[in-house]
Amino acid sequence: MAFHFKENPAPKQEVLEDGTIVTRTCAWSPPGCHAVGCGIKLFVKDGELVKVEGDPDHQLTQGRLCPRCLALKEAVYHPDRLLYPMKRDPKDRGLDKWERISWDEATDLIVAKTEEIRAKYGSESICVYMGTGREAVRYGFTLSSKVLRTPNNCYAQSGWSCMGPRQTAMTMMLGSAYIELDYNGGSLDVWNDPNWKRPDYIFCLGKEPLKSNPDGLWGHALIECMKLGSKLIMVDPRMNWLATRADQVLQIIPGTDAALCLAILNVLINEDLVDHDYIDRWCYGYDELVERVQEYTPEFAAKECGITAEEIVECAHKLAYDGGKTHWSLLMGVAVDQNPNGCQVTQCLIAMSAITGNLDVPGGTVVGVQMQFEMTGATDFMSDELKNKCIGWDTYPIVKILLNTTHPDITLEALETGRPYELKMAWLDSTNLLSPTCSAQPKRWHDALRKMEFTVAKDMFMTPTIMALADVVLPLATWAEHDGIVMTNQGCQMGIAGAINKALQVGECKSDLEMLIHFGNAFYERAYGEEYPFKTVEEYLIDDLNKMGHSWEELSEKVVASNDIGGYHKPERGLIRSDGQPGFQTTTGRVELWSTGYDALGDDPLPYYFPPKLGATARPDIAKEYPLMMTTGARYFASFHSEHRQIPSLRALTPDPYLEIHPETAAELGIKDGDEVTIENPWGIAHEIAKVTPVVRKDIVSAAHGWWFPEEDGEEPNLFGVWKSNVNSLVPHRVLGKMGFGAPYKQLPVKVYKTPVEECIL
């Protein structure tokens, strides 16, 4: 991994004539965004943030910012922001009876209660619950394993439906870190680099990157590629802004992605539009794949997907191998994961890239390099017996092999039943899991977590989750208020490495990293009789950068570096395998189109398709009463999942939760634009505001997610209105793929009707 810095960048800090200090930094979170590291200039006068601007010296973002970054001042100084540690009596959970305490008091209480619970029930009775995208994910495993010394770290989204299926298939087929669009973020010259070739086509499935900067990708890079001539193929049930600029749109029925991709493979293989040289040198199981795809004809997929066979053939021809004259790059998003068939979709997408010669070549799909040091020694102090108590490993062993976390659905069952053992303490690590961001069946999570003997939470604002569940809440700093490191997709792909440089201090807030070090020292000294490796944030950051062969002092001063992970053709050059040999980090050393890993774990080694588990084909009994299919999770510029709801300028952009419904469907149901509607299925209900629009298919509705109402009463039972528009109430528990991955967040049977006036709640 090599960092490259611009020559003579602007200084880290400068002082203007009026005394304003301008600090160059890179954003992460909170408030929320993925790990992109957009370049920022913060203007601070007399200790107060007065202005936020984009940093034109940042080689990737070049001064451009989204509304969330521009609204930072509103978040920093919001009157409802948490500024000090607070506690309340456990009997008052759900009530606004918080008492301000000092950090010393909070630390004493947390250490004492944790050790009391550990002594009574064992370390395994403690569980850390993490969210998605925020900076806390970089330190959450260390918090659970090294500081709290528990094997249980839980991402509470049913089926590990964010990155789990995609990263699993990547690991099984390639043995690599995340694969991504070739936008040349690892070069100082970015799009002007003569060694880079813009993709001729970009195949985007289940991802709308402009609004969310997903998985560490700076979304606007897609626009830069398109400006230079890249053509977009968009696969999405919704006609979003990008789709209107696409060369081709495949508006498929949610949950049928695998049928589409298998049919594309069928055309590529049967019309001999593949790179035989690459297949012969680097692929394993091609003949078996050839046989498998024969049943998945374009005609079969067209019927499943709700499009035409001609559209599928046309798409395959655009992705065809043509002797290497053109290349296409892959963009796949969380919609792949939120599908019980998601692992197989990813298998197909990787196979499509490989057999057309588009893996790790200019203009193709970049193959990531694993950061081997990140988890080294993280659980060395645990006995095998304790490690193997991690919840769900016996049911879904692939979670043990690849993710080192609990399985979320089995965790909920353990909370409810006390089997295989009782959980007694929760640490809510920057997650609002009761809001429809993570947990399916959130009322079940609410009831189960209310039984904890002790719960700690940290966040910027009081959330429904904290109000309902926590005994101690710790105030979280924004990225403007601490030092740190941000790397696109945790440094596993081409992109940037950025310094988060502290520009101000607000209240007694601490960052995720500061809290890790603070409690690391407290637990090691008071409970373990040992010395924690780091006393300060600076010590940690120096060590972190030294492991990468670089200096925190240099990164902090120069602010941003291009992060070159090895260029192209890494498998041929021995940069993927840990032994330095050519090939991939798999059993066969090749791209495993026929996966030896899946075979060993009892799943089909080849990709396969099954209809949506709750769709009309699989469950006609449900479809009769619930004839529409609901998708959810579409992103908005104004929010990051459940965050930003209390920020005035952002709330004005998206003031209400909207349900998108086709005009003809709305007319049939007597629904007009702006009506409050009820969305109902066998697992729950939610209320949203109808947005009548042709962007969705007639048989699909698209529901907003992440909604709660900070302006409302925060106490139980209302909890800031978290149950009103909670679309995760409609997601069933444990409807998953065979290996335990992928829940049907985007393929739910529902009925929609205008809410009677007397029952309206929005």
Side-chain angles (χ1 to χ4, degrees), residues 419-665:
R419 297 189 298 271
Y421 50 81
E422 292 188 331
L423 292 167
K424 294 293 184 178
M425 175 180 166
W427 185 296
L428 302 171
D429 201 40
S430 297
T431 177
N432 185 16
L433 64 81
L434 295 187
S435 180
T437 298
C438 293
S439 56
Q441 294 299 291
K443 286 188 178 179
R444 288 178 60 180
W445 283 91
H446 168 273
D447 294 346
L449 286 167
R450 290 270 291 183
K451 297 185 294 185
M452 295 299 95
E453 289 193 8
F454 186 59
T455 296
V456 179
K458 58 184 172 78
D459 217 315
M460 276 187 67
F461 292 97
M462 183 62 61
T463 67
T465 304
I466 295 172
M467 184 65 82
L469 304 175
D471 305 313
V472 177
V473 59
L474 305 172
L476 195 57
T478 71
W479 48 264
E481 301 159 37
H482 72 276
D483 291 326
I485 300 170
V486 56
M487 290 184 290
T488 52
N489 203 41
Q490 298 297 292
C492 295
Q493 68 181 51
M494 287 185 175
I496 66 99
I500 305 171
N501 286 319
K502 183 173 181 176
L504 67 152
Q505 177 69 47
V506 177
E508 296 177 5
C509 302
K510 295 181 185 291
S511 70
D512 294 293
L513 177 55
E514 287 175 304
M515 290 196 208
L516 173 70
I517 293 170
H518 175 85
F519 285 103
N521 280 287
F523 274 95
Y524 272 59
E525 178 184 343
R526 305 180 199 186
Y528 310 144
E530 303 173 24
E531 186 171 336
Y532 193 67
F534 309 107
K535 297 297 182 185
T536 66
V537 166
E538 185 177 23
E539 287 181 15
Y540 184 100
L541 295 175
I542 289 171
D543 181 75
D544 206 17
L545 268 295
N546 284 347
K547 289 175 181 175
M548 304 177 208
H550 295 283
S551 158
W552 161 245
E553 182 181 10
E554 182 179 29
L555 183 63
S556 176
E557 187 61 38
K558 295 182 178 178
V559 184
V560 60
S562 288
N563 180 14
D564 181 0
I565 60 170
Y568 301 108
H569 305 288
K570 289 185 288 295
E572 293 94 322
R573 296 160 53 218
L575 298 179
I576 297 294
R577 294 178 60 90
S578 58
D579 60 10
Q581 295 299 308
F584 293 85
Q585 187 73 25
T586 59
T587 301
T588 62
R590 296 173 174 238
V591 180
E592 293 200 349
L593 307 175
W594 190 100
S595 171
T596 59
Y598 278 126
D599 185 57
L601 288 164
D603 202 356
D604 193 324
L606 290 165
Y608 54 90
Y609 167 71
F610 51 82
K613 285 200 166 188
L614 302 174
T617 300
R619 295 296 304 272
D621 56 323
I622 295 178
K624 185 176 181 180
E625 184 175 356
Y626 304 97
L628 294 171
M629 181 176 282
M630 186 188 83
T631 182
T632 187
R635 305 300 194 245
Y636 298 91
F637 286 113
S639 59
F640 181 78
H641 296 305
S642 69
E643 287 193 81
H644 304 98
R645 301 298 178 196
Q646 61 277 93
I647 308 304
S649 65
L650 298 177
R651 184 66 177 272
L653 293 176
T654 310
D656 295 298
Y658 295 113
L659 179 79
E660 295 175 337
I661 183 169
H662 192 276
E664 292 184 25
T665 308

Side-chain angles (χ1 to χ4, degrees), residues 282-300:
W282 297 113
C283 293
Y284 176 81
Y286 179 69
D287 290 342
E288 290 83 354
L289 181 66
V290 170
E291 183 178 351
R292 170 58 55 86
V293 303
Q294 296 311 308
E295 63 184 286
Y296 298 107
T297 65
E299 291 73 21
F300 167 83

